[in-house]
Amino acid sequence: MAFQKGFFGQGYAGEDTGSKGLIKALGSLSKGLETVAIAEGEKLDKEVKAKAEQAARIDNFKSYQDAVDKGEIDNTKSDFYIAQYDNIKGKTAGIEYNTKKRLAFESWWADQSNRDEDDVDGSAFMAWSEDYDKTYLKDLGVKDSSSYFYKGFDPYISMSSQQLSSKYASANATRLKEKGKLNLQFVIEDALMKNPNNLEEVQTYINNLDITQNQFRFVGKTEFNQVVVQSYKNVIAEIANSTDLNSDYDLALALAEQIKDFKRPNGSRLLAGKDIEKWNEYIEKLSKEKTNYDRNITKFTQDAAVSEFIEDKLSAVESIFTNADFNDPDLKEGKNKFADLKVEYNLRWNQYLRNNKNHDPATKISYGRALLEDLEYKYKYADVTEIDTATRDSRFNVRGRLSAIEDVLGALIIDPDAQPTDEDSQVKERSLDTRVSIADIRNIDPAIGSLLRQTNRGQGIGNEYTVTLQEILDLMNEYNAWVRSNK
Amino acid sequence: MCNPTYIAIAALSLSALQSQQQYQADKARARAQEDKNKAARKSSQIAYLADLNKLDRDAIAANKLAAKDKEAGERDLIVKQDEALLTQLESGNANVDAVLRDVGFDYESEFSKLDQKVYDNNLNTIFGYDDAYAAMRRSFNQVPDVFKPSKAGLLIDVASSAVTQYGNVQGGKYGESKSSDLNTGEIG
């Protein structure tokens, strides 16, 4: 049987659409008002923010509280206004702080650059920065500063520290490198100046520098080479100053030459490619400078009297070396010897002048004379090479020339007893001597005459022989004496 | 320019009014649902009574039919026994009672069947009562629960809106500044 046939089922209460609509309308209106409130709030905030910023930028108070304390602003402003106001004040203070800290950094960096200690880990900067910040904030004098002030101020602290840290890191690295280069330059220059006469030792010392000295670890290999070259140049510039009486161009040139062959421990050279060419030009320029210097230094260091005396003496010596004895058509070594003598004389004379600028003229003349005598003696005894004693026409082939001499004498009709005139004194004297000698030369005693003696004893006639000018002079003197004694 | 805080307060008022209206609407709806539920329950109970009535009617009709059958059987038995008695008496059978018993025995099982049928009818009617009740319970169970809006909930809702708006004002959702920031206090 089916039960509950009469049950008409469950009914459900319907919604009250009127109420529902009202509720919905109220909700919408509430939301709308909220949106308006938000919009009005944002608008108000913008205006207040602008007002606060404007106020903060045109007054000179340190903070809102400072302005309130001075009675220039009422203490009724909202936190938002205070926040904006103090935030701008904080930013302004931050900009000032940033500027001052940068300036302070430049000053500190200038001091730091002159210190010997190297701040390789940045600790010196960090200590300075922290100390500066601490002192600055303490002296900032912002009474009861709100957190908004520091919110505006703080970014500048971190920004400033970051920028300065970066700058410091870069500058310090450059400084360490430059300092290393500078120290390296000093060390090399010092070594060169201390051992100017032992450049090989200096070279070894330099080559060991980058191995033994930790302070040069910041200097790269290429820079190391450049510093070495520059150090040499500096030393050269110092010792080869054309306006300095104590300049030593010889050493300067020696240094310049050494750079050309300077080898690093790894076998590489300091100079390569175009640098070598430039360096050669540099050496050439230095040589020319030396010539000028020598000429100038002589003028500068001796007065007219000394100069005149020396020139006279030099002319006298020159005449010795270029007279008939030493400078006939067969014997030109006299001129050559004098050229060598003059070079050495100039070197030594200039050296003397450089080292003894304060000597009085008499002393200088005395030295100059002694020097010339020494050099004259030296070059007279200097070897004259490749004297041909084998050729028939050779003046030193005495025996071989006898017939030629006879021919000449035959053409000269000169009275042996006649006194030579002024015009032909040398010719006559010479002819006389020669003519007289011819008479006995066939019977010349080998014991007489250095040249002949040595010729006979040594290589024998016909061979090349080496004698000194003095020996030639002695031969001539002995020969003449012998001639005179056998008149 | 309107003060955003005042606008926010107005919004809060409307929000509170909205909550109150919602409360009233919920309350009216609960009441209406309650009325509906009452009618449904009443309908279910009426249907239950109708079910019982039908069960009773069916049982009575069935029992009446069994009684009628039994009555007809008895009448027929009486006729049969009278016929048998007369026959035996005519034949001079002394043991008439035995014959009558035999006739009565033939009808005994039929009468038992009719009794059993009545019993079954009554039993089924009782079971039908249970089923009708269960059906009524099912109908009752279909009635939805009615939840009345809570006054405390309304108060909490309003308070919650107020707190939210207060938080919004304090949190700067409607601006962080005050109108007075613009009106006075110009820097001199």
Side-chain angles (χ1 to χ4, degrees):
Chain A
M1 153 175 188
F3 296 107
Q4 291 283 309
K5 278 187 174 176
F7 180 57
F8 54 71
Q10 177 57 45
Y12 294 94
E15 278 187 312
D16 183 350
T17 53
S19 296
K20 192 178 175 185
L22 176 61
I23 291 164
K24 194 176 174 186
L26 286 170
S28 298
L29 186 56
S30 177
K31 289 274 182 195
L33 283 175
E34 195 173 325
T35 305
V36 171
I38 291 171
E40 287 292 335
E42 288 177 352
K43 188 177 169 187
L44 182 62
D45 281 355
K46 279 182 186 171
E47 292 180 25
V48 170
K49 187 178 178 184
K51 282 274 183 192
E53 286 189 5
Q54 184 186 16
R57 290 192 195 285
I58 60 176
D59 66 28
N60 293 319
F61 304 116
K62 290 180 178 174
S63 68
Y64 177 78
Q65 190 59 43
D66 185 34
V68 169
D69 291 346
K70 290 176 179 168
E72 298 294 335
I73 189 169
D74 56 346
N75 194 15
T76 59
K77 300 294 184 189
S78 67
D79 281 349
F80 180 75
Y81 183 95
I82 297 171
Q84 299 305 320
Y85 184 90
D86 277 354
N87 195 253
I88 293 297
K89 289 295 182 189
K91 284 181 181 173
T92 306
I95 292 168
E96 185 180 345
Y97 155 83
N98 191 27
T99 306
K100 286 184 175 175
K101 189 171 182 182
R102 279 168 168 270
L103 291 172
F105 172 78
E106 295 299 338
S107 174
W108 176 79
W109 174 241
D111 293 340
Q112 185 73 8
S113 303
N114 293 326
R115 291 189 179 180
D116 291 335
E117 300 86 23
D118 293 334
D119 182 21
V120 292
D121 60 356
S123 57
F125 170 75
M126 294 308 295
W128 172 82
S129 180
E130 285 173 13
D131 185 57
Y132 181 87
D133 290 350
K134 197 189 295 179
T135 308
Y136 190 89
L137 292 174
K138 190 178 171 186
D139 297 342
L140 192 58
V142 180
K143 187 181 164 190
D144 298 329
S145 296
S146 67
S147 58
Y148 308 121
F149 177 87
Y150 287 110
K151 194 178 175 186
F153 184 78
D154 283 349
Y156 287 91
I157 295 179
S158 57
M159 182 184 76
S160 176
S161 295
Q162 196 176 0
Q163 289 175 344
L164 289 180
S165 295
S166 176
K167 185 175 182 180
Y168 175 75
S170 172
N172 195 40
T174 306
R175 172 183 174 266
L176 289 173
K177 184 175 283 250
E178 291 301 322
K179 188 180 174 188
K181 285 163 72 176
L182 199 61
N183 285 341
L184 177 63
Q185 194 170 313
F186 286 155
V187 167
I188 294 173
E189 288 177 11
D190 187 52
L192 286 171
M193 295 302 277
K194 279 182 180 171
N195 295 299
N197 298 318
N198 196 347
L199 296 181
E200 291 299 324
E201 191 178 309
V202 173
Q203 187 170 332
T204 307
Y205 173 73
I206 292 170
N207 274 336
N208 287 329
L209 276 180
D210 60 341
I211 300 167
T212 58
Q213 298 291 320
N214 194 37
Q215 59 175 316
F216 303 133
R217 67 188 184 280
F218 297 105
V219 182
K221 293 291 178 194
T222 308
E223 289 165 330
F224 191 95
N225 290 350
Q226 290 171 347
V227 170
V228 173
V229 173
Q230 188 58 45
S231 301
Y232 268 74
K233 273 182 132 176
N234 290 349
V235 171
I236 289 171
E238 191 172 339
I239 63 176
N241 183 353
S242 61
T243 61
D244 186 357
L245 294 176
N246 297 318
S247 293
D248 187 350
Y249 273 89
D250 294 328
L251 178 59
L253 282 167
L255 287 173
E257 289 292 341
Q258 195 193 28
I259 281 288
K260 281 172 68 178
D261 303 325
F262 199 119
K263 272 189 179 176
R264 299 282 293 131
N266 62 4
S268 66
R269 289 184 183 277
L270 290 181
L271 301 174
K274 285 187 175 178
D275 290 341
I276 297 173
E277 195 178 332
K278 284 183 182 174
W279 195 256
N280 285 332
E281 290 173 3
Y282 174 72
I283 291 175
E284 192 178 339
K285 185 182 166 191
L286 202 61
S287 300
K288 287 178 181 171
E289 205 174 299
K290 176 183 181 302
T291 307
N292 290 333
Y293 175 80
D294 288 344
R295 187 166 57 241
N296 291 336
I297 200 70
T298 306
K299 288 180 183 173
F300 281 126
T301 53
Q302 59 185 345
D303 54 32
V306 176
S307 178
E308 191 178 345
F309 170 79
I310 291 301
E311 283 176 13
D312 289 348
K313 286 294 292 180
L314 206 55
S315 297
V317 173
E318 185 178 8
S319 67
I320 293 172
F321 278 85
T322 56
N323 65 10
D325 291 336
F326 291 147
N327 205 34
D328 67 9
D330 294 323
L331 183 61
K332 296 180 180 176
E333 283 76 8
K335 283 182 181 176
N336 296 335
K337 285 291 170 185
F338 178 75
D340 293 343
L341 181 150
K342 194 173 179 182
V343 169
E344 184 175 353
Y345 169 78
N346 283 333
L347 282 172
R348 294 177 64 175
W349 177 239
N350 292 336
Q351 182 74 27
Y352 162 78
L353 291 177
R354 277 197 297 275
N355 296 336
N356 303 284
K357 295 186 293 290
N358 299 324
H359 282 183
D360 55 51
T363 309
K364 287 179 181 174
I365 287 171
S366 172
Y367 178 84
R369 182 192 292 122
L371 178 62
L372 269 174
E373 286 173 356
D374 287 347
L375 291 177
E376 181 186 344
Y377 180 79
K378 173 184 172 183
Y379 281 89
K380 275 181 179 175
Y381 285 93
D383 285 347
V384 178
T385 57
E386 296 179 357
I387 293 176
D388 184 7
T389 57
T391 311
R392 183 177 178 277
D393 294 334
S394 170
R395 177 173 171 77
F396 296 95
N397 187 357
V398 179
R399 293 180 189 278
R401 288 189 67 215
L402 285 179
S403 58
I405 293 170
E406 285 174 346
D407 293 341
V408 173
L409 287 177
L412 293 171
I413 305 170
I414 299 172
D415 181 1
D417 298 325
Q419 290 301 314
T421 62
D422 289 341
E423 301 84 46
D424 56 4
S425 61
Q426 284 190 356
V427 176
K428 286 179 177 177
E429 180 67 21
R430 180 181 169 80
S431 301
L432 175 66
D433 291 345
T434 308
R435 181 183 61 80
V436 173
S437 67
I438 284 298
D440 298 303
I441 201 163
R442 294 180 188 278
N443 301 316
I444 192 169
D445 183 357
I448 298 173
S450 304
L451 177 62
L452 289 174
R453 186 164 60 247
Q454 292 199 37
T455 301
N456 294 334
R457 187 182 70 234
Q459 305 298 324
I461 294 173
N463 294 330
E464 290 184 353
Y465 192 66
T466 299
V467 294
T468 66
L469 287 177
Q470 190 58 50
E471 285 173 335
I472 295 170
L473 189 62
D474 290 346
L475 168 65
M476 299 305 290
N477 289 337
E478 287 169 7
Y479 179 75
N480 289 334
W482 175 77
V483 169
R484 287 191 185 91
S485 66
N486 291 281
K487 276 183 182 176
Chain B
M1 179 196 295
C2 294
N3 189 321
T5 306
Y6 296 156
I7 299 173
I9 290 169
L12 171 62
S13 303
L14 289 176
S15 178
L17 186 59
Q18 183 193 23
S19 298
Q20 195 270 340
Q21 283 298 317
Q22 184 68 54
Y23 172 78
Q24 290 295 345
D26 289 347
K27 197 175 167 186
R29 193 173 182 187
R31 194 182 297 124
Q33 186 62 48
E34 214 162 50
D35 291 345
K36 295 269 184 192
N37 287 355
K38 267 184 189 174
R41 285 196 195 97
K42 199 170 182 179
S43 168
S44 176
Q45 284 171 338
I46 290 169
Y48 174 58
L49 290 175
D51 288 344
L52 290 180
N53 202 6
K54 175 105 180 9
L55 283 170
D56 287 345
R57 279 201 311 274
D58 289 348
I60 288 168
N63 287 344
K64 197 183 277 178
L65 189 61
K68 196 187 283 182
D69 288 345
K70 189 177 182 183
E71 191 181 350
E74 283 175 343
R75 202 164 42 240
D76 196 32
L77 175 60
I78 291 168
V79 172
K80 293 279 183 158
Q81 281 183 333
D82 287 346
E83 286 176 354
L85 179 61
L86 187 58
T87 303
Q88 293 303 316
L89 285 174
E90 287 176 353
S91 65
N93 191 347
N95 198 1
V96 176
D97 289 342
V99 174
L100 291 177
R101 271 199 305 273
D102 289 342
V103 174
F105 185 75
D106 290 340
Y107 282 89
E108 187 61 31
S109 62
E110 190 175 346
F111 288 157
S112 294
K113 283 180 183 174
L114 288 170
D115 289 342
Q116 186 61 42
K117 191 174 182 182
V118 170
Y119 178 78
D120 288 345
N121 284 338
N122 291 338
L123 196 60
N124 285 335
T125 303
I126 290 169
F127 288 154
Y129 289 164
D130 289 341
D131 290 342
Y133 184 75
M136 183 191 73
R137 291 300 308 168
R138 278 198 297 277
S139 296
F140 259 56
N141 286 341
Q142 290 176 11
V143 174
D145 296 328
V146 175
F147 299 103
K148 291 181 179 176
S150 167
K151 271 191 180 176
L154 171 64
L155 292 175
I156 291 170
D157 193 25
V158 172
S160 172
S161 296
V163 168
T164 303
Q165 290 294 56
Y166 177 76
N168 288 342
V169 170
Q170 291 299 316
K173 188 175 179 183
Y174 309 122
E176 299 176 71
S177 51
K178 297 191 292 191
S179 299
S180 59
D181 290 341
L182 298 175
N183 298 333
T184 58
E186 291 291 334
I187 302 299

